[in-house]
Amino acid sequence: MDSPEAASLRSEIGENLSGASKGNEAALIQRADFLIEAEVQAMAAEERRRAVLEGLAGLGYEVSEGMATAWVNGGRVVLRKAANPGYGVELSGGSQSDLLQVRAVAFGNSTETRDASRDRDIETIWCGEFQRLQSLIAKGGGSLAIEHARPVGQFPLKVVEDRLSTTETGAGVKATRQLPR
């Protein structure tokens, strides 16, 4: 691990092993365990984001290099669907926990009148695509479970004016991915 915390801990462990400092072995082991656990969690979160983005790319969403980083840095990312360029999905969360939120969104101007029937159709399509996404992730050894979902049409679709401007949240989803041993 290359973090400053890991470098400091390596130095302290080296001093302890050389005999320069003694008596804090238990504290060093505890700190090492904490750093390892944090690194494993970060790796698992990265793998979950990668699996979700790959799955969405397989479903026809426009996924580009750097989106996973943008998702971590900005807390959310919006993907456009090539077949329906006026619509897409917003992904948020997932960087600090197993929970990630996914919702269908519309692209456009929030002051324009929307076709509510078309928006409901897009939400219905997204529900089917989400089931396909679950299957794709399951084939890779992971799982995607819905913890909370809103009925189609309960709320108007969020209108996104650019790819990273989002403030609301949607359905809560818990993503898990088995790491190779």
Side-chain angles (χ1 to χ4, degrees):
M1 299 184 323
D2 295 326
S3 69
E5 296 87 4
S8 173
L9 182 58
R10 272 193 305 275
S11 175
E12 290 179 51
I13 290 171
E15 289 174 13
N16 190 279
L17 291 174
S18 70
S21 66
K22 288 285 184 190
N24 61 347
E25 292 86 1
L28 292 173
I29 291 170
Q30 185 178 21
R31 285 178 50 206
D33 287 344
F34 175 77
L35 282 174
I36 291 168
E37 179 63 25
E39 182 71 14
V40 167
Q41 287 178 1
M43 289 168 44
E46 182 179 335
E47 179 64 13
R48 281 190 298 274
R49 287 187 299 275
R50 185 198 59 74
V52 168
L53 290 172
E54 281 181 5
L56 288 170
L59 294 174
Y61 287 86
E62 296 174 0
V63 177
S64 61
E65 191 173 328
M67 279 192 165
T69 302
W71 185 359
V72 171
N73 293 339
R76 60 195 76 236
V77 68
V78 178
L79 289 76
R80 188 176 302 272
K81 175 87 180 208
N84 295 312
Y87 295 92
V89 294
E90 175 187 71
L91 306 168
S92 61
S95 61
Q96 299 299 322
S97 74
D98 288 347
L99 293 177
L100 101 103
Q101 297 172 346
V102 184
R103 72 185 298 167
V105 296
F107 293 101
N109 185 334
S110 60
T111 60
E112 293 177 358
T113 303
R114 304 237 10 111
D115 179 351
S117 175
R118 176 72 175 138
D119 287 356
R120 276 191 303 280
D121 290 346
I122 291 297
E123 279 190 286
T124 301
I125 290 168
W126 167 242
C127 290
E129 288 180 335
F130 187 83
Q131 290 176 341
R132 289 177 39 215
L133 178 62
Q134 286 176 306
S135 295
L136 289 171
I137 290 176
K139 286 179 185 175
S143 66
L144 210 54
I146 298 173
E147 290 190 357
H148 174 73
R150 297 186 294 196
V152 169
Q154 181 180 10
F155 296 101
L157 280 186
K158 179 180 179 178
V159 177
V160 176
E161 300 200 24
D162 65 58
R163 295 181 86 71
L164 296 177
S165 67
T166 57
T167 56
E168 298 175 30
T169 59
V173 177
K174 183 171 184 172
T176 57
R177 177 100 173 146
Q178 300 259 339
L179 294 176
R181 295 187 192 260

